[in-house]
Amino acid sequence: MANKDQGPNPAEGPGDGEEVRPEGEGSEANASGPAPQDGQDVADGDELTVDDILGAEQSAEAAAEDAVLADLESQLLNDLKRLQAEYANYRRRTEEQRELEIERAQGAVAKGLLPVLDDLDRADKHGDLEEGSPFAAIAVKLRGVAERIGLTTYGAAGEVFDPQQHEAIVQVPTPGAAEPTILEVVEVGYRLGSVELRPAKVVVAVPAE
């Protein structure tokens, strides 16, 4: 006769109503989920940093592209420098040409005034330019115009004779003269800025033999 108090047979399956749990379910070992497999995406906390990206090994193709870009950049920089130099030279030549044209125009005007200024100088030496007279007033205005355009005179008695600036009309042997010296200015010289318009015509004292 079977014993009614005997428990279920271990060889038999679970009894009705009893829940079967998979092995290890609910344990601490599986609390964080399964471990990532090889090739699985990196978790958000393990994203690559800028240093990782910059330090990554560069492929041969990428290195070749960088070399081509660097060479192109160098060529463009050289072309830019050449264009800047050409433009600077062009501006310099244009400015020099403009200044030369201005000097030529001013020189043409100044040369036209020289005979009039010579007449004024002769009239002044003869006492014809009386102060307060209309003739004296005209002389003042003309000389003012000459000064405003940059016209200057040179050559005076007592100066050392310079063949680069003075034209000797007469040479007078003079005892005691140590070097050629201007005795008299027959016609003053004129310059416009650094340009000589006319040399001074002078009488020169030279050492006596």
Side-chain angles (χ1 to χ4, degrees), residues 88-105:
N89 291 333
Y90 167 76
R91 288 191 60 184
R92 178 181 55 79
R93 290 193 301 268
T94 302
E95 184 66 22
E96 290 176 353
Q97 185 66 27
R98 186 181 69 86
E99 292 178 355
L100 181 60
E101 293 298 329
I102 292 174
E103 288 182 355
R104 286 177 178 173

Side-chain angles (χ1 to χ4, degrees), residues 18-151:
E18 185 177 357
E19 182 181 358
V20 179
R21 294 186 179 182
E23 184 178 355
E25 182 179 354
S27 64
E28 293 180 358
N30 295 326
S32 59
Q37 301 298 324
D38 293 341
Q40 187 175 357
D41 293 340
V42 179
D44 293 342
D46 296 331
E47 291 181 356
L48 295 176
T49 64
V50 175
D51 292 337
D52 294 334
I53 296 173
L54 295 177
E57 184 177 356
Q58 191 178 34
S59 66
E61 183 178 356
E65 291 179 355
D66 288 346
V68 172
L69 291 176
D71 184 61
L72 179 60
E73 181 180 357
S74 177
Q75 291 180 5
L76 291 175
L77 183 60
N78 291 334
D79 289 343
L80 178 60
K81 290 180 179 179
R82 177 178 56 80
L83 289 175
Q84 289 176 335
E86 290 179 355
Y87 179 67
N89 291 333
Y90 167 76
R91 288 191 60 184
R92 178 181 55 79
R93 290 193 301 268
T94 302
E95 184 66 22
E96 290 176 353
Q97 185 66 27
R98 186 181 69 86
E99 292 178 355
L100 181 60
E101 293 298 329
I102 292 174
E103 288 182 355
R104 286 177 178 173
Q106 291 177 337
V109 174
K111 284 184 177 180
L113 288 176
L114 297 187
V116 179
L117 294 175
D118 289 338
D119 290 341
L120 292 177
D121 290 339
R122 296 187 187 97
D124 195 10
K125 289 179 180 179
H126 287 84
D128 295 333
L129 298 181
E130 296 181 1
E131 187 176 355
S133 65
F135 197 15
I138 293 174
V140 171
K141 290 180 180 180
L142 284 173
R143 287 170 174 168
V145 171
E147 291 178 1
R148 283 195 296 272
I149 65 175
L151 194 62

Side-chain angles (χ1 to χ4, degrees), residues 191-208:
R191 292 192 185 97
L192 183 64
S194 60
V195 178
E196 183 180 284
L197 298 180
R198 188 181 73 186
K201 295 179 181 180
V202 296
V203 176
V204 182
V206 297

Side-chain angles (χ1 to χ4, degrees), residues 162-187:
D162 183 355
Q164 299 296 326
Q165 303 182 46
H166 307 126
E167 180 181 345
I169 296 177
V170 179
Q171 292 185 354
V172 180
T174 304
E179 57 183 346
T181 306
I182 297 175
L183 281 178
E184 181 183 354
V185 177
V186 178
E187 194 174 74

